Amino acid sequence: MTRLGTPYGSRLDRTRPVRFTFEGKAYHGFAGDCIASALAASDQWVLSRSFKYHRPRGIMTMAGAEANTLVQLPSEPNVPADLTPLQDGMMVMAQNVNGSLENDRDAVIDRFGRFLPVGFYYRTFMGPRQDSWLRFWEPMIRRKAGLGIVDVKAPHLSFDKAHLHCDLLVVGAGPAGLSAAISAAQAGADVLLCDDNPEIGGSLTYRRCDPGILFSLAAKAAKLPNLRIMTGTICNGWYEDNWLPLIQGNRLYRTRARGVVLATGAIEQPAVFRNNDLPGIMAGGAVQRLLRHYAVQPGRRAVVLAANDDGYDCALDLVEAGVELAAIVDPRPNAGDRAGELRARGIGILAGAPIEEASGTRGNKHVARVRIGSRWIDCDLVAVSVGSVPAWQLPCHAGARVGYDDATARMTLSLPEGAAVRLAGAVAGKSRLQSAMADGRRAAREALERLGHCDPPDVQNEYEPEPAAWAQPLAGNAKGRDFVDFDEDLQVKDLRNAVKEGYRELELVKRFSTVGMGPSQGRHSALATARIVAEATERGVGEVGVTTARPPTGPEKLGVLAGHHEPLERRTALHVRHLALNARMKPIGAWWRPYFYGPEDRIDRLVREEIAAVRNGVGMLDVSTLGKLEIRGPDAGAFLDRMYTMAHANQRVGRVRYCLMLNEMGTVIDDGVAYRLADDLFYVTATTGAVARVQADMLFWNAQWRLKVDVLNVTAAFSGMNVTGPKAREVLQALDGDIDFSRDAFPYLHGREGMLAGLPVRVMRIGFTGEVSYELHCPSSYAVALWDALSEAGKPHGLRPYGLEASRMLRLEKGHILIGQDTDALTTPDELGFGWAVSKKKPFFVGKRSIEMRTRLGETRRLVGLSFEGANNIPGESCLVLRGGNPVGQITSIGFSPTLGHTIALAYVHIDDAAPGSKVTVKCRSGELVQVPVVGHAFFDPHNVRQEM
């Protein structure tokens, strides 16, 4: 292993060795290593094969900015080896290989590159036969295309989502970001600082600089309680109103910030020369990261291509790490100011001549030498430092425009006037350390000034002048293999040929050549591509620009976007009582509810007994899952008038009224009841699965209406029990309380509040089953006590709990609908026969205009009851209703009614067949057509005599 001693290896815990395999071979590293660093320490420099030519590829940036380091884990493809922490027992494989990494059979493609010019896939594979594409070429290409293998049997992982809010979000914890966050926090703002590295500091952790600077900044940050730091966190996009997704591990933080400072730094660019992709040729920053973060000596004899001060710093770091420096190649006509320091150490500097070509070991597994002019220099490491570009992706999401300064040969970013974000540090063109820190303070103060926190900044005098960059020649090598886009194996000649084909605009060049379409999304190719296209079309680089950057900034797992994939489970406060009664529990959405009570093998008999108990005696149903909302405020009645179709503003206190909710297109989306407890308070129920949407819709509309109401979801706070049947009143009257349950004192569709069995209750008299029914709601902490009291009081009357299947049949006998089962995305009140539930006098409610327009268009269907008395073949739910052989509707609910002795159903039929007595044709699952009569909705007690007793 080529490990250096301390102080190198800031991320390593050398007391904790980690063992893993790569391509089936055993390796070991230390805790804190990434996959690439551990392999490099063992002199394994080839990590992958290139996409098109299957050339050996290795480390280039150590920052996850290219496809070279993508590897395969057993259950996860496209894992960046230079970012992914090493774990004990990890099994790592190379990607995009045919055979093995060392002996890739598809490497032969590299020899036939002349037959695979840019855009070849658009104009070949058309023969020799007409169907050759589908039968031969496409299957072959699909086998070769793609990186990594998706494991469809991969185990589920745990993902999570959370929400964050802050005054100021600072993205990037380098010198500029740290300075911005500290400055803002010191001004009293609530600050969130995030960085994708495992520690704060950014370039301060690996560049050649005074370590005291980072120590001082970290100490200041630690003393600020209003500064939250999130390391290992990727900001993967900027969206409207400063909404930013922060991904930390498998958790997505949906972050809303009042202000944003982007200190995302700069991206080092590769040099373009022949065979510039050989393993062992890497960016200067990658060399310094390997040294300082991982204590890896990246080579034994190095050549440094230094076109700026960073290159000279890298050279000094290599010398101090014991690496022999064969030469420093400075392509500028005059060597930089730092040249004297290197010459004093006896290191030769070749000025005015760039590297023109590299040559590799057998099979191009590693760089072996480079050519400068006519001179070849042996080396096993080439450190490249020729310039960088701002990390433009996030700023462009926020509206920044990319430009180019011909005088300094630098890419620039400019924000629109009134932009919601500020740029700081290298992303804003301030690459010098002190300038970057000063720029961070400026950006923070500007952001806070916009929020009204502090005075305008004045720190211009703290900036150091920025040196001009070196614009490397991009003429291209006659022999090719001078790669511009490493992801797609695109060379200089490929881009020039794309322009010759007539694609002058960069967006078209991108689509024709696929430049910038790989995993790196142009991070290392955008500037060089723009310069090549600009030269070929005789335009300025700024005029050509770069392609549009859109979210996400980088890859993100689908699981992170999905969040929880485990099914959520909710249990009512009475769950233990149901289990004690031997209930068969079923999940209904997130809720576990009793389907029926008793042994599984007696389901039909037990359900019929439960229905009979309600029809002839008394039953009790747990309705705690019903959605429950409290609408409070002086405008509560007016608010419900706008939300529901019936009139509620004039609803008297103590009365209960049916609620029907529509969306803007006039479709029925929910129903329930509204119990007016006071002039300024309604207790409203909603269907179990829709209450969250109902509340959200209420809040959405009132954000526009600005009525004086508050909408509170109390579904979990209150439990409910429905006591129903001819003897329901006798059961309740047997309990001590202050509520008079007599018919005259407590009529149908009235409500009462009071005490029952010593417990506080809200009682509504409604009729879902068609019998005398009282729906009792109490705080959930009292639910078990109320259930027990009702059970005890009901024993003399044969009270029996009943489940969902009995409840479904009881409501079907009365023709009551279930939202989502008997309705769909187009159902109107008229189609349900619910014209009585729509106020004709109200000037407005949500959906009113739409149902009026749809009424003028005319109805085509109606929900009716169907009776299958005497039928030999019984259809199922969703079976079609036909008219003239064409489908005109479908059965929505069906079941055998023990009360009536035959099967009944609700179904949509053609409007001309909706009258009772009409005959309709239903197609059974067997294909048999059955003629059945239409009856009214209410199969049982159509005049509602029983429920109003």
Side-chain angles (χ1 to χ4, degrees):
M1 292 181 68
T2 51
R3 293 283 192 183
L4 301 169
T6 54
Y8 295 104
S10 61
R11 292 183 179 176
L12 300 182
D13 182 353
R14 301 180 195 244
T15 65
R16 294 168 55 200
V18 176
R19 299 187 180 279
F20 70 107
T21 63
F22 179 64
E23 287 287 286
K25 183 180 177 181
Y27 292 89
H28 69 273
F30 296 112
D33 260 319
C34 64
I35 297 171
S37 66
L39 290 172
S42 298
D43 286 327
Q44 175 62 47
W45 293 98
V46 180
L47 300 178
S48 67
R49 291 280 177 162
S50 68
F51 178 66
K52 182 177 177 181
Y53 297 124
H54 285 252
R55 290 168 64 90
R57 290 282 171 81
I59 293 169
M60 187 171 82
T61 65
M62 284 301 290
E66 74 285 339
N68 290 6
T69 58
L70 295 182
V71 295
Q72 173 85 43
L73 297 183
S75 300
E76 187 176 353
N78 299 316
V79 174
D82 49 353
L83 297 181
T84 304
L86 191 65
Q87 297 179 18
D88 201 41
M90 187 177 270
M91 293 184 292
V92 187
M93 297 295 292
Q95 292 190 159
N96 201 42
V97 298
N98 181 4
S100 68
L101 179 64
E102 291 297 316
N103 298 290
D104 185 357
R105 289 188 288 270
D106 285 346
V108 70
I109 297 174
D110 194 25
R111 300 180 183 180
F112 297 95
R114 69 178 63 186
F115 302 109
L116 302 172
V118 62
F120 74 95
Y121 29 81
Y122 290 121
R123 50 195 174 186
T124 53
F125 312 120
M126 299 304 171
R129 294 170 39 181
Q130 189 174 1
D131 60 352
S132 293
W133 167 252
L134 292 176
R135 290 182 174 274
F136 179 71
W137 295 113
E138 185 183 28
M140 182 182 72
I141 291 171
R142 287 192 179 278
R143 286 194 299 271
K144 297 296 182 185
L147 297 176
I149 300 170
V150 175
D151 181 5
V152 296
K153 297 182 179 180
H156 287 294
L157 300 177
S158 177
F159 295 94
D160 195 12
K161 292 183 180 179
H163 295 265
L164 291 175
H165 296 82
C166 59
D167 290 332
L168 184 67
L169 171 65
V170 180
V171 181
L178 267 174
S179 299
I182 291 168
S183 179
Q186 288 174 338
D190 178 23
V191 182
L192 175 61
L193 173 64
C194 70
D195 193 277
D196 55 356
N197 289 294
E199 72 281 290
I200 61 173
S203 62
L204 295 175
T205 65
Y206 63 89
R207 292 289 190 189
R208 190 177 182 84
C209 59
D210 180 5
I213 296 174
L214 177 56
F215 179 82
S216 174
L217 290 172
K220 290 178 182 178
K223 293 178 181 178
L224 295 167
N226 53 329
L227 170 57
R228 177 177 178 177
I229 299 175
M230 295 176 62
T231 55
T233 302
I234 300 168
C235 180
N236 224 23
W238 180 95
Y239 297 86
E240 200 66 34
D241 297 325
N242 282 340
W243 190 95
L244 300 98
L246 304 183
I247 301 173
Q248 187 180 56
N250 285 346
R251 173 173 289 182
L252 170 64
Y253 290 92
R254 297 165 167 170
T255 307
R256 182 79 68 181
R258 296 180 63 207
V260 175
V261 171
L262 300 178
T264 49
I267 304 167
E268 282 191 280
Q269 298 298 286
V272 179
F273 53 86
R274 178 168 165 77
N275 293 325
N276 60 337
D277 65 329
L278 292 175
I281 301 176
M282 64 186 76
V287 169
Q288 291 173 304
R289 285 182 172 97
L290 285 171
L291 289 171
R292 290 202 165 82
H293 288 165
Y294 304 110
V296 173
Q297 191 179 62
R300 295 168 180 80
R301 194 166 194 265
V303 170
V304 177
L305 177 59
N308 51 37
D309 288 353
D310 290 339
Y312 285 90
D313 285 340
C314 178
L316 289 168
D317 284 342
L318 284 169
V319 171
E320 292 175 3
V323 177
E324 179 188 353
L325 211 56
I328 295 180
V329 180
D330 192 330
R332 298 171 293 183
N334 299 308
D337 298 337
R338 306 287 298 282
E341 190 174 351
L342 273 299
R343 286 195 179 103
R345 297 183 181 230
I347 298 168
I349 298 175
L350 304 177
I355 295 176
E356 297 179 22
E357 184 178 357
S359 177
T361 59
R362 187 172 181 271
N364 283 336
K365 303 294 177 57
H366 203 275
V367 64
R369 57 181 184 161
V370 294
R371 180 171 63 84
I372 298 95
S374 60
R375 178 183 173 186
W376 284 93
I377 301 176
D378 293 338
C379 60
D380 63 353
L381 170 66
V382 179
V384 176
S385 187
V386 295
S388 60
V389 297
W392 71 90
Q393 290 80 11
L394 276 176
C396 286
H397 297 174
R401 295 186 65 84
V402 177
Y404 186 78
D405 185 350
D406 291 304
T408 60
R410 288 182 179 274
M411 184 186 287
T412 62
L413 288 172
S414 57
L415 289 169
E417 186 176 350
V421 304
R422 294 293 181 270
L423 307 181
V427 73
K430 304 296 186 292
S431 60
R432 303 268 188 180
L433 179 56
Q434 294 302 323
S435 294
M437 294 170 64
D439 202 44
R441 294 189 291 270
R442 172 204 57 79
R445 294 193 62 188
E446 282 187 5
L448 294 185
E449 178 201 357
R450 185 171 178 269
L451 303 179
H453 269 270
C454 62
D455 299 327
D458 183 17
V459 291
Q460 295 295 325
N461 58 344
E462 299 183 50
Y463 292 147
E464 303 174 51
E466 292 291 329
W470 174 62
Q472 60 176 320
L474 295 169
N477 191 290
K479 297 179 181 179
R481 298 303 182 264
D482 42 3
F483 293 99
V484 176
D485 190 322
F486 290 72
D487 297 351
E488 304 288 337
D489 275 350
L490 289 170
Q491 309 157 71
V492 173
K493 67 178 182 181
D494 293 326
L495 300 175
R496 290 185 177 276
N497 287 336
V499 176
K500 290 178 181 178
E501 291 279 357
Y503 301 103
R504 291 173 49 87
E505 299 304 323
L506 196 65
E507 293 285 357
L508 298 178
V509 171
K510 173 180 178 178
R511 280 152 183 79
F512 182 71
S513 68
T514 70
V515 65
M517 293 175 67
S520 71
Q521 290 291 289
R523 284 173 173 81
H524 56 252
S525 61
L527 178 57
T529 300
R531 292 186 57 228
I532 291 169
V533 173
E535 182 181 342
T537 58
E538 298 181 345
R539 290 182 292 171
V541 178
E543 186 181 355
V544 172
V546 299
T547 55
T548 304
R550 298 182 179 92
T553 304
E556 54 194 12
K557 297 178 182 178
L558 295 178
V560 169
L561 300 180
H564 293 289
H565 62 261
E566 301 88 353
L568 298 176
E569 292 188 5
R570 300 185 70 179
R571 294 179 170 89
T572 72
L574 299 171
H575 190 79
V576 292
R577 287 295 183 265
H578 300 317
L579 296 181
L581 291 167
N582 198 23
R584 302 294 108 180
M585 307 299 290
K586 278 195 173 184
I588 308 298
W591 291 95
W592 281 90
R593 301 191 65 183
Y595 190 59
F596 67 96
Y597 294 83
E600 189 80 40
D601 57 354
R602 296 172 56 195
I603 176 173
D604 292 337
R605 175 183 169 185
L606 291 169
V607 170
R608 294 184 186 190
E609 289 176 356
E610 290 176 5
I611 293 172
V614 173
R615 292 287 180 231
N616 303 318
V618 60
M620 183 164 61
L621 175 69
D622 179 5
V623 294
S624 303
T625 64
L626 276 176
K628 310 172 195 74
L629 302 166
E630 285 191 354
I631 315 298
R632 295 176 177 269
D635 294 335
F639 176 72
L640 292 184
D641 263 3
R642 298 188 186 192
M643 292 302 308
Y644 291 102
T645 59
M646 295 189 75
H648 296 278
N650 63 356
Q651 182 178 336
R652 285 178 288 176
V653 174
R655 294 297 299 269
V656 176
R657 188 163 289 176
Y658 181 70
C659 297
L660 191 67
M661 179 178 279
L662 312 180
N663 62 15
E664 289 177 280
M665 63 181 287
T667 297
V668 176
I669 59 173
D670 196 55
D671 71 345
V673 296
Y675 170 24
R676 191 163 199 167
L677 294 163
D679 289 337
D680 61 351
L681 175 60
F682 284 81
Y683 184 62
V684 180
T685 65
T687 52
T688 298
V691 61
R693 175 186 175 174
V694 169
Q695 184 193 23
D697 282 357
M698 287 181 170
L699 295 174
F700 169 80
W701 284 111
N702 202 44
Q704 303 172 58
W705 298 335
R706 301 292 182 181
L707 296 179
K708 297 177 181 178
V709 293
D710 180 52
V711 181
L712 181 64
N713 189 338
V714 293
T715 300
F718 281 84
S719 293
M721 285 143 264
N722 188 25
V723 180
T724 180
K727 298 180 181 180
R729 184 179 291 119
E730 297 173 42
V731 172
L732 298 178
Q733 288 175 333
L735 294 169
D736 292 332
D738 56 10
I739 300 175
D740 186 349
F741 289 97
S742 65
R743 176 181 176 180
D744 294 335
F746 199 157
Y748 180 63
L749 290 182
H750 280 64
R752 297 289 184 268
E753 276 193 299
M755 302 295 291
L756 187 67
L759 305 170
V761 291
R762 292 174 178 175
V763 187
M764 295 177 287
R765 189 172 168 194
I766 52 181
F768 193 63
T769 65
E771 304 291 344
V772 175
S773 297
Y774 298 89
E775 201 166 282
L776 294 87
H777 292 233
C778 69
S780 291
S781 55
Y782 297 127
V784 172
L786 181 59
W787 177 276
D788 290 345
L790 291 168
S791 299
E792 188 65 28
K795 282 182 179 180
H797 306 284
L799 181 144
R800 179 169 183 159
Y802 66 98
L804 283 179
E805 181 58 15
S807 176
R808 185 185 75 86
M809 231 18 260
L810 289 164
R811 69 91 194 174
L812 183 56
E813 290 176 348
K814 284 297 294 179
H816 292 312
I817 66 166
L818 288 180
I819 299 294
Q821 177 162 331
D822 300 306
T823 64
D824 56 32
L826 297 175
T827 303
T828 65
D830 286 340
E831 290 176 342
L832 297 173
F834 278 22
W836 56 268
V838 179
S839 171
K840 304 298 189 293
K841 298 180 179 179
K842 292 196 301 183
F844 171 80
F845 56 82
V846 175
K848 176 180 171 68
R849 179 173 176 271
S850 295
I851 60 172
E852 290 172 347
M853 294 174 66
R854 293 173 69 175
T855 299
R856 290 196 292 271
L857 293 174
E859 289 183 68
T860 59
R861 64 175 184 170
R862 179 69 64 87
L863 188 73
V864 300
L866 300 180
S867 173
F868 288 84
E869 186 174 4
N872 295 322
N873 199 340
I874 303 300
E877 289 178 358
S878 300
C879 282
L880 295 177
V881 177
L882 306 178
R883 191 173 198 263
N886 297 317
V888 293
Q890 77 282 348
I891 291 178
T892 61
S893 297
I894 191 168
F896 178 82
S897 166
T899 307
L900 302 174
H902 60 266
T903 298
I904 56 176
L906 293 178
Y908 284 104
V909 302
H910 192 276
I911 187 64
D912 293 339
D913 296 332
S918 301
K919 291 272 189 162
V920 297
T921 302
V922 179
K923 186 176 183 179
C924 299
R925 299 198 191 282
S926 64
E928 181 182 346
L929 301 182
V930 178
Q931 293 279 331
V932 292
V934 173
V935 298
H937 267 217
F939 301 93
F940 174 75
D941 187 23
H943 301 293
N944 297 327
V945 174
R946 295 172 66 92
Q947 71 185 22
E948 297 182 17
M949 289 192 303

